[in-house]
Amino acid sequence: MSLSITSSVSSRSAVRGLLPLCAAVGAYLFYLSAGEILLRDSDTEWQIKVGQWILEHGAMPTSDLLSFTRFGEPWISSSWLSQVAYALVYGGDWAGPVILTSIAIGATVAIFLHLLSPYFDPARTILIAALAMLLSTIHFLARPHVLALPVLLAFIGGLMAAANRRASPSWWLLPLMVLWANLHGGFVLGLALIGPIGLEAVWSAEPGRRRGLIVRWGLFGVAALAASCVTPYGWNSLLGATKILSLGKLLTLIGEWLPADFSKPSFFEATLLGLIGIICYRGLTLSVPRILLLLGLIWMALSHVRNIEVFAFIAPLVLAKPIAEQWGMAGAPAARFEEGRSVPVVTTVAAIAMVIGAWVTTTTFVAQHEFKFLPAVSPVAAVDVLQQHRAQRVFSTAPFGGYMVLRDMKVFIDGRAELYGEQFVLDYYAALDARDVGQLLNLLDKYRIDATLLSSDSPAGNALDHLKGWKRLYKDDIAVIHVRSDETANAVPAAESTK
């Protein structure tokens, strides 16, 4: 009987020990095999260019390097470490960025399952993780925010774990804040959540311990604020990271900053309504701080679609302990802790085997598969024509900006809205719409534009076809080029311009 019990406990321990790694490897291999879905945003390309500049010059950029409209104006990179990481793995093809991004997603899954495992059985943790992944996939891109996602989860998960214990957070979380502040500007979210999560720890603690907890959480908050400034830019990293929030009306025009749209069915809508329904049906009771945290996460996700992934991964951490205690799983943590204290040798061997298998699979797959960036934001042939034409000041759409930067061209605009400012980008959108042709022409004259590179179905491109002083130079299924009519001596033949 004792041998049977020992074998059963050992088996459960092995399963729990391997579950996060198995899920992480599975997520990694999935996103590796579907790597093109990570290559949909041209911001990836200018991020790599910034990283290359940092490596080449051994310095941090303090002014704009990539545009002709803002060249030399103050600008700092709040994601410099991610940009350097992407530049290091980019070898002229996209395998490196895809692999790095897929590793970050796999690490996020592993950390998420580890944080949930004290409260739910393996089946439920996998289900919750799958839902979080489905909600977040739309924003899984080869960009700095994904490299920072596992750090975000580890930091906020550490805060929630401390609150669940009615204790102060570990000082070992501070190095995570330093890393996060150098990877991505989203570290301000971690700073903002210290107060509400600390309030939960104080709220649920015994009255005699509350004053001490307030002091310790306060000291941790000050230390985390100081840690966030341990970057090449110091205090300016914090100021730069919050600059995007001052763009006002412009945020309603940028895709990832748009509010959630419930005018048509979406998975986020179904998840949110399902969560509300389950809480009402099962009668889940939350403390006031947890209610505020949950409402805050929902508000963030409703306000900007880019925050749906934050809701997807953080909301379960807020709800895990109350659900485990009130829905009949309160005894699980202690038992699982005892079972997981010693990891069998077979678990370690299996983990090593999975890592080796993932590496072999990666090597084989990458050797046989060429990753390609989304063609819609990669106007290869059109940029070839522009470079042959020696165009210098090109009015282009922001989605083309990343590719042009990677081709060593100075751009009119790219994805750095905080650099260009609200009014500039609003003028840009107005010109693209071409509702006021005079406004379009004024902008082209103001910035001394000698060529335009627009999407093939752009209203501005259609307008330029009929405007005096401009002539179409080239068009394909992706992009159209116009030049001033007195600058068309080098135009490509008509048959070639319509291919």
Side-chain angles (χ1 to χ4, degrees):
M1 178 66 73
S2 63
L3 288 176
S4 176
I5 293 174
T6 302
S7 175
S8 176
V9 170
S10 179
S11 297
R12 289 197 298 270
S13 177
V15 169
R16 291 191 178 97
L18 285 173
L19 181 63
L21 181 59
C22 287
V25 170
Y28 164 76
L29 291 177
F30 172 79
Y31 284 97
L32 175 70
S33 64
E36 276 73 13
I37 69 174
L38 303 174
L39 302 174
R40 310 189 311 272
D41 192 328
S42 64
D43 280 4
T44 302
E45 295 166 307
W46 68 255
Q47 303 271 7
I48 288 174
K49 197 66 177 179
V50 172
Q52 290 173 338
W53 187 93
I54 293 172
L55 291 172
E56 290 170 4
H57 293 79
M60 294 293 115
T62 56
S63 60
D64 174 48
L65 310 164
L66 307 180
S67 77
F68 64 83
T69 51
R70 290 291 185 268
F71 186 79
E73 293 194 10
W75 178 77
I76 64 173
S77 174
S78 58
S79 303
W80 75 270
L81 188 56
S82 294
Q83 292 160 347
V84 167
Y86 275 125
L88 287 172
V89 299
Y90 176 72
D93 60 56
W94 294 105
V98 167
I99 292 171
L100 182 61
T101 306
S102 300
I103 289 173
I105 295 172
T108 300
V109 172
I111 294 169
F112 190 54
L113 291 178
H114 174 73
L115 292 170
L116 291 179
S117 62
Y119 305 102
F120 302 111
D121 59 68
R124 287 187 176 91
T125 57
I126 288 292
L127 175 61
I128 296 170
L131 289 173
M133 296 288 285
L134 287 172
L135 283 169
S136 305
T137 292
I138 192 173
H139 203 219
F140 280 166
L141 304 163
R143 281 175 39 190
H145 71 274
V146 176
L147 296 191
L149 190 56
V151 183
L152 175 156
L153 196 55
F155 183 85
I156 297 178
L159 296 180
M160 282 306 308
N164 290 339
R165 297 192 309 269
R166 303 181 180 91
S168 57
S170 169
W171 294 98
W172 289 106
L173 294 178
L174 296 179
L176 287 177
M177 175 53 70
V178 174
L179 178 60
W180 191 0
N182 286 279
L183 285 171
H184 187 252
F187 70 90
V188 295
L189 173 65
L191 296 176
L193 288 181
I194 292 174
I197 296 176
L199 179 61
E200 164 61 21
V202 173
W203 185 280
S204 57
E206 296 81 5
R209 297 181 56 237
R210 288 177 178 171
R211 180 174 297 178
L213 275 179
I214 291 173
V215 172
R216 289 195 292 274
W217 275 87
L219 289 174
F220 179 84
V222 173
L225 180 63
S228 72
C229 297
V230 183
T231 73
Y233 299 106
W235 179 261
N236 287 324
S237 290
L238 184 59
L239 300 178
T242 58
K243 192 173 181 180
I244 187 71
L245 300 176
S246 65
L247 292 178
K249 180 182 177 181
L250 180 56
L251 291 181
T252 64
L253 301 176
I254 302 174
E256 63 183 353
W257 288 95
L258 291 175
D261 181 9
F262 281 6
S263 64
K264 53 187 177 181
S266 68
F267 187 68
F268 172 57
E269 177 184 10
T271 302
L272 185 56
L273 294 177
L275 175 63
I276 295 172
I278 291 172
I279 290 176
C280 293
Y281 179 75
R282 296 296 299 269
L284 183 66
T285 301
L286 300 176
S287 65
V288 171
R290 286 185 194 267
I291 292 173
L292 294 176
L293 275 169
L294 185 60
L295 291 178
L297 293 169
I298 293 173
W299 174 79
M300 288 173 58
L302 292 175
S303 298
H304 307 295
V305 293
R306 64 175 290 149
N307 291 325
I308 290 177
E309 69 196 46
V310 175
F311 166 82
F313 284 104
I314 304 304
L317 303 183
V318 175
L319 296 173
K321 186 172 185 286
I323 288 176
E325 291 177 346
Q326 297 174 40
W327 293 357
M329 292 171 274
R336 289 174 188 173
F337 177 75
E338 291 298 323
E339 291 176 12
R341 290 177 70 175
S342 59
V343 179
V345 174
V346 66
T347 305
T348 304
V349 173
I352 295 173
M354 279 191 287
V355 172
I356 293 175
W359 176 252
V360 172
T361 302
T362 299
T363 304
T364 304
F365 183 74
V366 169
Q368 299 176 355
H369 180 80
E370 180 183 0
F371 294 98
K372 295 181 179 179
F373 217 94
L374 185 69
V377 294
S378 302
V380 180
V383 170
D384 287 342
V385 171
L386 283 172
Q387 291 187 332
Q388 293 170 10
H389 190 68
R390 298 180 182 177
Q392 299 297 316
R393 303 178 70 85
V394 180
F395 173 68
S396 61
T397 63
F400 289 162
Y403 180 75
M404 295 172 68
V405 166
L406 207 59
R407 292 283 298 268
D408 296 318
M409 297 182 70
K410 292 288 189 293
V411 296
F412 180 87
I413 192 172
D414 51 52
R416 298 170 296 162
E418 75 282 1
L419 166 67
Y420 297 100
E422 180 180 8
Q423 191 57 52
F424 178 92
V425 183
L426 289 176
D427 290 344
Y428 152 78
Y429 276 118
L432 281 186
D433 288 341
R435 294 177 182 176
D436 185 342
V437 174
Q439 188 176 15
L440 169 63
L441 292 176
N442 287 339
L443 183 142
L444 297 178
D445 291 339
K446 176 180 179 180
Y447 291 99
R448 296 180 286 115
I449 301 300
D450 51 42
T452 66
L453 175 63
L454 306 171
S455 56
S456 56
D457 58 351
S458 166
N462 294 333
L464 287 171
D465 280 338
H466 307 286
L467 290 179
K468 183 179 180 181
W470 290 90
K471 181 176 180 179
R472 183 195 298 178
L473 178 66
Y474 174 89
K475 185 176 183 179
D476 59 22
D477 293 337
I478 298 173
V480 59
I481 297 173
H482 289 84
V483 295
R484 294 188 184 274
S485 58
D486 58 346
E487 299 176 359
T488 56
N490 296 322
V492 295
E496 192 176 339
S497 71
T498 57
K499 63 182 179 180

